[in-house]
Amino acid sequence: MSKHIYLNSEVIFFETNEESRSEFVKEYEALFEKLDLSSIPRYNKGVGASGYDQHSLLKALIVYAKEGYRSILQLIRELEAKPYFSTYVLGFRSTIPEQSTFYRFLQRFDPEKIQELCASVNLSHLSEAGRELNVLAIDAKPIVANTKENNPKCFIHNLTDKGKLPARNEESALGFLSSTNDINGKVTRTFYWGYKLHLIVDADTDTPLVWKVTPANASDNHEAPELYQSLKKHYASCFAKRLVQTADKAYWDRKVYESFMKTCGGYSAISRNPGNQKKDPNLSPDGVPLCAAGYGMEHECSWYDKKDKCQRFRFRCPRKGMECEFRNPLARCTKTLRVTDPVPGKIEPFTQAFQNVYGKRQSVERVNAHITNVGFDFPNHFSMASITNLIGFVLLAKALSQQYQPGLKLKAA
């Protein structure tokens, strides 16, 4: 759907009783009951007019983000078509604010407040369900800027000179997307001007926890430690005894492992990044030793060698019961892999513990897909502050809509 298309307004309800019984109203009444806005002042204090109720503006922007409206103007038309909803659910007692009021609120509102609201909702759900945070997933998603430089039909189509900033979205940066899904295994890169969303979710429930929006040239592994600090600040009381995070190869970095272990006391299951590394003929691409016959061996056990101060992993031939000219006649062949400088908190890709959690990495992909579905991976706004708050309202709305299932008992704070 084009970002310039405005959807038709909902049917106007002439009878407020009919509107009050609609599923739309019931859904948002239930969602807003979970939202504690006591920490946010309702009106401006000091010199000047008190302005519109900030609670009402915040709720309206949650509706804007959740429904995927393509502009503030469409939001206003939808609210005007729903007088009962606007008055009694959102709290606009007199008139609907103008576009400038919504844009100003979106620009100036503190994004940390949105994360605090999201954390409050998530902690309440965790407590009610008796759950802990066991497996987390982290990833980054591109947010394409609304600028002519991203339009391939534009005569001024700059996707090479990173020093020449766009006329609008001056805070954006030139980034790229890399893909290895080509049938021939070739890596393809697509350049764009914009931003990047760094996100951590609860991998068991697809619930967004903490996030950060940066220019598109920010490195994923450099931003991860700051997310871990925010995660500890809001959710430390809910960490499981063995907290695990999973991520793709963009986070395959020693400082990511160490930071997550030091900050959250957790372990990391991150896929191996084969780039810039010499190929060892005795190892498979996953780092598994090859037997004399050329087969990848199975991980059997591991231990820490205090004498040599190294981690050792033992592997055994996987082809039990099959004839092999290289086989030891008494037992299957074994090999031991020696890691002289083990990384704290690293779960090796060839272990069963890695296989148990790595598949849950798709949870963060589903949350990223939700942002795409509502259309805000290509927002119409032009400032980084507005885009950050807009993405925050999308994730807050998803957290409000998320239903938790009963799980493990919540850990005491």
Side-chain angles (χ1 to χ4, degrees), residues 35-37 39-40 58 109-123 197-201 208-214 226-235 388-389 391-397 399:
L35 196 60
D36 183 9
L37 301 177
S39 62
I40 299 174
L58 191 146
F109 192 72
D110 184 4
E112 182 61 27
K113 292 289 185 181
I114 303 178
Q115 297 223 28
E116 291 176 358
L117 291 174
C118 186
S120 175
V121 172
N122 291 335
L123 289 172
L197 168 66
H198 307 268
L199 174 66
I200 296 180
V201 307
L209 299 176
V210 294
W211 60 87
K212 181 183 179 183
V213 176
T214 65
E226 185 174 340
L227 289 181
Y228 301 151
Q229 293 288 347
S230 181
L231 188 70
K232 180 180 179 181
K233 173 183 175 182
H234 295 296
Y235 300 97
T388 299
N389 283 331
I391 297 298
F393 283 125
V394 174
L395 297 174
L396 174 59

Side-chain angles (χ1 to χ4, degrees), residues 157-372:
H157 183 54
N158 172 31
L159 292 179
T160 56
D161 186 2
K162 62 182 179 181
K164 188 177 180 181
L165 299 178
R168 285 189 170 185
N169 281 283
E170 296 87 351
E171 299 168 287
S172 65
L174 186 61
F176 68 90
L177 300 172
S178 61
S179 174
T180 56
N181 296 332
D182 187 85
I183 189 172
N184 298 318
K186 295 176 62 177
V187 177
T188 58
R189 287 187 175 182
T190 303
F191 290 86
Y192 72 99
W193 284 93
Y195 309 91
K196 187 181 289 186
L197 168 66
H198 307 268
L199 174 66
I200 296 180
V201 307
D202 180 0
D204 293 322
T205 59
D206 298 356
T207 304
L209 299 176
V210 294
W211 60 87
K212 181 183 179 183
V213 176
T214 65
N217 58 357
S219 178
D220 298 355
N221 53 7
H222 289 172
E223 300 299 330
E226 185 174 340
L227 289 181
Y228 301 151
Q229 293 288 347
S230 181
L231 188 70
K232 180 180 179 181
K233 173 183 175 182
H234 295 296
Y235 300 97
S237 61
C238 300
F239 289 165
K241 291 184 178 179
R242 184 177 173 83
L243 181 66
V244 179
Q245 74 162 343
T246 179
D248 59 20
K249 63 182 181 181
Y251 296 89
W252 196 73
D253 192 327
R254 186 183 185 93
K255 65 182 179 183
V256 173
Y257 293 103
E258 293 178 342
S259 177
F260 189 63
M261 170 59 73
K262 180 179 179 181
T263 305
C264 302
Y267 298 83
S268 302
I270 302 174
S271 60
R272 185 183 180 88
N273 188 351
N276 298 326
Q277 295 198 25
K278 292 182 179 180
K279 294 184 178 180
D280 190 339
N282 298 318
L283 298 177
S284 71
D286 294 332
V288 175
L290 302 176
C291 67
Y295 298 111
M297 307 184 78
E298 289 183 348
H299 174 256
E300 188 177 50
C301 63
S302 63
W303 68 95
Y304 183 75
D305 191 335
K306 295 182 180 180
K307 182 178 180 181
D308 292 341
K309 296 182 179 180
C310 66
Q311 190 78 18
R312 296 185 184 274
F313 300 89
R314 178 179 292 170
F315 297 84
R316 189 175 292 274
C317 176
R319 298 182 172 263
K320 182 179 180 180
M322 295 185 64
E323 295 184 1
C324 178
E325 58 179 321
F326 303 100
R327 185 184 302 282
N328 186 329
L330 300 179
R332 286 187 289 168
C333 302
T334 61
K335 282 189 177 182
T336 301
L337 186 65
R338 181 174 181 267
V339 180
T340 56
D341 188 18
V343 181
K346 181 180 180 182
I347 302 177
E348 296 293 345
F350 45 72
T351 61
Q352 186 61 43
F354 184 94
Q355 301 299 328
N356 291 340
V357 299
Y358 186 68
K360 295 184 177 182
R361 190 182 66 85
Q362 295 181 356
S363 63
V364 70
E365 301 288 354
R366 288 190 289 268
V367 177
N368 287 336
H370 171 73
I371 298 175
T372 302

